[in-house]
Amino acid sequence: MARAFTPKVVTANHLLEGDVIYMTASGDWTRELRDAELLTDEADADLRLLEAQQQTAVTVGAYLADAKSGPDGRPEPTHFREEFRRTGPSNYFHGKQAEA
Amino acid sequence: MYQYNDFDSAFLAERNRQFRAQVGRRIDGSLTEDEFRPLRLMNGLYLQLHAYMLRVAIPYGTLSSAQMDKLALLAEKWDKGYGHFTTRQNIQYNWPKLNDVPDMLDALAEVNLHAIQTSGNTIRNVTADHFAGASADEVADPRPVAELIRQWSTDHPEFQALPRKFKIAVSGARDNDRAVIMAHDIGLYIVENDAGEVGYQLVVGGGLGRTPMIGKVLKDFIRQDDLLAYLEATVSVWNLLGRRDNKYKARIKITVHEHGIEEIRRRVEDRFALIRPTFGGFDVALLKEIEAFFANPEFTSAPVDAYTAAYDADPLFRSWADANLSAHKNDDYAIVTISLKKHGETPGDASAAQMRAMAELARQYGHDELRISHEQNVILPHVHKSHLPAIYAALKEQDLHTANIGLISDIIACPGMDYCALATARSIPVAQQIATRFDELKLEHDIGHLQIKISGCINACGHHHVGHIGILGLDRAGVENYQITLGGDATNTAAIGQRVGPGFAYDEIVPAIERTVRGYLDLREDENETFIETFNRVGLAPFKAYIYPEAQANAA
């Protein structure tokens, strides 16, 4: 049996800045995971990923990252790698944690 | 120190011009990412977890003060005020913007620095013993031949699309290897034969990563005029034979393993016989030219009373001198290792202000020379002993006076998951916590010489396989997990560490390391027996009892 689909967000790095970006429900890009669109349907997710990959002037290396719905209904990471991507490094107060 | 000639400068300017245009074409959409990626990698530009990362080569680890000042400028102007010195004698900038990279490369070119072939499937930055030209134990300074290899390998048309990356290191001290020669695709020891001629012993097929292997001697003695042809023959044989079907089996260590060293040697000798006549002696003439750039500085002769007075009077200075100074070939001089491992800080990181301060010390007291070690520290290779107290005072102002070289807090750590897109776990915070723990325990100097090396994934940039204690960070079912290996050795008696058993969670790894070290303190014969000597005497089993006390209790 195929593995059950788990919720995803579309994420990538920004071509110019190099930083982590996420796709919103309107198809724009945000630097905040909490503003990303949480995709619960596999076909939708695949379609959104294709859209992201076509935006080569904005994105590099777009992929679907596992996420879950947080207490406020907004996406949260399920894996520590995605937690670091949305926060920044742990040795300096740099990256997204410093920009929030 | 090597100075670019007109050809070198023109070559680099043209290369930078091409890359600027390539960046422009990527941004305007003419190049896809698939097309651009190999081009940016050839120029040292990665895309990491949070940002781009620019890896700049520091060929054979040697820098002038002006070059170090420029590295500081890049950190300040285009990054977040610091740089990270790596285990391959490179510096990495963690936060550049794509648009800025061409300007960064042009700035580097002003001081003869570049990022060419610091990534990609090419011959990478040639590394060397960081005490080159200063220590008494070398047959010859390895840097001239390393520079020759840099020139030969840069843009070498046959070697721009190799099966995988290729790393070469050179040491002039066969019996005191400080350059991890045995863990390189090709390692060269400069040796003398029975007739007193200087040549090279070539070791091939070493490497860490997924399949760690200690290099094997391909040829015991290669004459100077045969070296480049022999290197070219070796890389050429691998270029044809190397596995392109599976990147995990593409490195030359696997090729040597699969075909056997005898068969590789036979093929290399055949290829060498074929191409040797095409090397008409230009390489030897060039090596002579290069050697002139690496002549000894003019050592001054002056009393060293200031040093001995400070050594006797100031216990903090004495502690630093005992840990951070090494013997120089001139008795009035010392080799100073500046620790980038202050307890609790990130191994290998230096701020722009620290870089400038070190550059100034080299300018004032160190014949204008600095080195970067694969152990992620900075070296002033030629310091008259009378200047050591002044240097110590200046280092103290910049928080660069940590007295821990070769001790447990002098940890090698890769960037790990704090920065690296390939990492499976963090390395830096583990290093920070271990250093802090043993500083608080005040055990560091009692423990003595002990190398901990930490990698945040199986690719082993942190050299964990050859750490006396190695730590490998993995992702186990979505949680960071750390494996310990013991008994690794990075020197000419190279050895791959042995895995002790099940790994430890992030919050368990530091206590496990403390138990390992307390085990050593119990097991050692006396305080003169180092960790690795104790391990080699007693083996893994007694250490396991300390590392896994519960298992021991259950078995009892």
Side-chain angles (χ1 to χ4, degrees):
Chain A
M1 202 176 78
R3 272 172 75 180
F5 181 77
T6 52
K8 304 278 191 286
V9 293
V10 176
T11 182
N13 288 77
H14 190 269
L15 172 66
L16 296 178
E17 308 289 319
D19 59 344
V20 176
I21 52 177
Y22 305 94
M23 198 179 234
T24 65
S26 61
D28 296 329
W29 293 94
T30 173
R31 277 159 167 96
E32 299 285 330
L33 174 60
R34 60 197 310 276
D35 296 330
E37 179 186 21
L38 189 67
L39 298 155
T40 52
D41 179 86
E42 188 167 10
D44 277 353
D46 288 345
L47 205 61
R48 292 302 249 175
L49 179 60
L50 281 174
E51 284 172 30
Q53 286 168 336
Q54 281 164 2
Q55 296 186 37
T56 56
V58 181
T59 67
V60 183
Y63 65 95
L64 293 171
D66 280 319
K68 64 183 181 194
S69 180
D72 55 0
R74 290 166 179 266
E76 286 186 354
T78 60
H79 188 277
F80 62 93
R81 186 175 193 273
E82 292 303 326
E83 175 60 40
F84 290 125
R85 286 182 80 241
R86 80 156 174 176
T87 311
S90 55
N91 63 328
Y92 298 117
F93 191 66
H94 286 163
K96 293 196 182 298
Q97 59 198 335
E99 289 153 12
Chain B
M1 190 173 299
Y2 183 72
Q3 295 297 322
Y4 280 14
N5 58 26
D6 290 347
F7 173 86
D8 297 322
S9 301
F11 173 87
L12 185 52
E14 172 58 14
R15 176 74 174 237
N16 285 349
R17 190 195 62 76
Q18 289 173 4
F19 188 59
R20 183 181 290 277
Q22 288 157 358
V23 169
R25 290 203 296 281
R26 173 66 183 97
I27 292 171
D28 75 16
S30 315
L31 287 176
T32 66
E33 185 61 21
D34 282 349
E35 289 165 333
F36 180 61
R37 189 169 175 274
L39 298 172
R40 67 167 158 81
L41 290 177
M42 294 285 241
N43 291 285
L45 186 62
Y46 285 75
L47 184 52
Q48 294 285 36
L49 217 52
H50 314 292
Y52 285 97
M53 180 271 280
L54 182 66
R55 179 183 291 159
V56 177
I58 298 166
Y60 34 89
T62 295
L63 284 174
S64 66
S65 303
Q67 289 174 323
M68 185 65 115
D69 278 338
K70 191 64 82 174
L71 296 181
L73 176 88
L74 262 73
E76 226 162 44
K77 190 167 175 184
W78 291 293
D79 208 89
K80 293 190 187 292
Y82 72 100
H84 176 74
F85 291 103
T86 78
T87 53
R88 291 217 75 257
Q89 296 179 321
N90 297 306
I91 183 170
Q92 295 182 170
Y93 294 101
N94 287 322
W95 304 95
K97 307 275 189 284
L98 180 58
N99 258 327
D100 291 334
V101 174
D103 290 341
M104 295 171 83
L105 294 177
D106 282 348
L108 289 168
E110 290 169 12
V111 291
N112 299 355
L113 286 173
H114 62 73
I116 297 171
Q117 289 178 209
T118 56
S119 178
N121 293 333
T122 56
I123 298 176
R124 301 288 187 88
N125 184 34
V126 181
T127 56
D129 183 349
H130 44 270
F131 289 175
S135 73
D137 53 15
E138 66 184 15
V139 170
D141 187 335
R143 292 173 301 158
V145 75
E147 172 60 27
L148 181 72
I149 296 169
R150 186 185 73 85
Q151 295 192 17
W152 161 80
S153 62
T154 300
D155 236 18
H156 191 303
E158 190 181 339
F159 303 143
Q160 293 304 293
L162 293 167
R164 199 76 176 82
K165 57 189 165 183
F166 199 88
K167 300 174 181 176
I168 301 177
V170 194
S171 165
R174 175 69 186 82
D175 298 324
N176 214 351
D177 179 0
R178 289 172 288 260
V180 211
I181 296 294
M182 302 298 280
H184 279 78
D185 294 291
I186 284 182
L188 292 173
Y189 289 113
I190 304 177
V191 290
E192 255 179 11
N193 67 7
D194 294 340
E197 296 166 312
V198 171
Y200 310 93
Q201 183 184 50
L202 190 152
V203 177
V204 72
L208 301 174
R210 183 175 296 259
T211 317
M213 293 203 186
I214 302 300
K216 300 175 178 72
V217 174
L218 185 65
K219 198 169 174 76
D220 257 323
F221 189 83
I222 300 168
R223 288 159 38 130
Q224 279 193 330
D225 56 349
D226 288 339
L227 180 68
L228 275 197
Y230 211 88
L231 286 175
E232 191 154 301
T234 307
V235 182
S236 187
V237 163
W238 167 66
N239 196 17
L240 279 177
L241 272 187
R243 300 265 304 259
R244 283 180 158 82
D245 61 317
N246 181 342
K247 78 174 198 175
Y248 301 120
K249 295 188 174 181
R251 297 287 289 269
I252 196 172
K253 61 189 172 186
I254 305 292
T255 313
V256 171
H257 182 71
E258 288 184 348
H259 292 264
I261 187 77
E262 294 299 329
E263 173 62 9
I264 297 296
R265 187 178 293 123
R266 187 188 66 73
R267 286 173 185 255
V268 169
E269 290 288 340
D270 284 355
R271 179 80 188 155
F272 173 73
L274 190 72
I275 65 173
R276 176 64 182 88
T278 65
F279 286 76
F282 178 77
D283 48 333
V284 180
L286 182 57
L287 180 61
K288 288 282 165 253
E289 264 177 50
I290 293 171
E291 277 172 354
F293 288 107
F294 292 94
N296 276 329
E298 280 189 27
F299 295 127
T300 52
S301 187
V304 297
D305 306 354
Y307 166 64
T308 45
Y311 190 89
D312 291 341
D314 179 354
L316 289 175
F317 174 75
R318 184 162 70 227
S319 168
W320 175 80
D322 286 345
N324 294 38
L325 301 184
S326 303
H328 193 278
K329 61 186 175 187
N330 181 318
D331 284 344
D332 290 347
Y333 275 67
I335 302 171
V336 174
T337 301
I338 301 170
S339 172
L340 297 185
K341 313 289 179 65
K342 188 188 174 200
H343 304 97
E345 296 295 327
T346 303
D349 277 12
S351 68
Q354 288 177 324
M355 289 185 222
R356 288 209 176 88
M358 292 187 281
E360 188 52 30
L361 286 175
R363 200 175 277 121
Q364 229 179 319
Y365 304 114
H367 297 275
D368 207 35
E369 253 196 65
L370 303 113
R371 306 286 173 75
I372 307 304
S373 72
H374 81 270
E375 285 150 342
Q376 302 178 283
N377 290 312
V378 177
I379 286 104
L380 301 173
H382 309 293
V383 174
H384 192 272
K385 286 179 179 168
S386 62
H387 296 139
L388 289 168
I391 287 176
Y392 178 72
L395 290 174
K396 202 169 174 180
E397 281 178 26
Q398 291 293 335
D399 235 355
L400 286 168
H401 62 301
T402 309
N404 64 348
I405 298 305
L407 301 180
I408 192 168
S409 59
D410 184 8
I411 297 170
I412 286 183
C414 72
M417 199 175 275
D418 285 305
Y419 298 91
C420 179
L422 298 174
T424 45
R426 285 171 293 172
S427 311
I428 291 168
V430 176
Q432 290 172 309
Q433 289 167 38
I434 292 171
T436 303
R437 171 73 62 101
F438 284 93
D439 189 40
E440 286 167 356
L441 291 170
K442 300 295 168 211
L443 278 175
E444 182 155 47
H445 289 267
D446 185 27
I447 295 162
H449 183 52
L450 172 51
Q451 293 180 326
I452 297 184
K453 302 180 197 276
I454 309 176
S455 305
C457 83
I458 200 162
N459 294 310
C461 293
H463 293 192
H464 64 277
H465 295 111
V466 291
H468 300 156
I469 298 176
I471 301 173
L472 166 62
L474 294 169
D475 174 350
R476 284 276 179 264
V479 180
E480 288 168 297
N481 187 274
Y482 294 87
Q483 287 181 357
I484 299 176
T485 50
L486 299 181
D489 179 348
T491 70
N492 39 297
T493 49
I496 304 294
Q498 300 169 42
R499 204 180 132 192
V500 298
F504 295 90
Y506 179 74
D507 57 356
E508 291 173 351
I509 181 64
V510 177
I513 295 300
E514 185 181 336
R515 291 198 298 279
T516 310
V517 173
R518 289 198 183 276
Y520 153 65
L521 293 174
D522 279 356
L523 291 164
R524 69 181 178 186
E525 276 189 328
D526 57 47
E527 62 187 25
N528 294 317
E529 191 180 57
T530 62
F531 180 93
I532 190 69
E533 287 165 352
T534 300
F535 178 85
N536 288 337
R537 178 172 58 79
V538 305
L540 190 61
F543 280 96
K544 285 174 88 161
Y546 287 93
I547 299 171
Y548 302 103
E550 314 82 8
Q552 194 71 5
N554 293 342

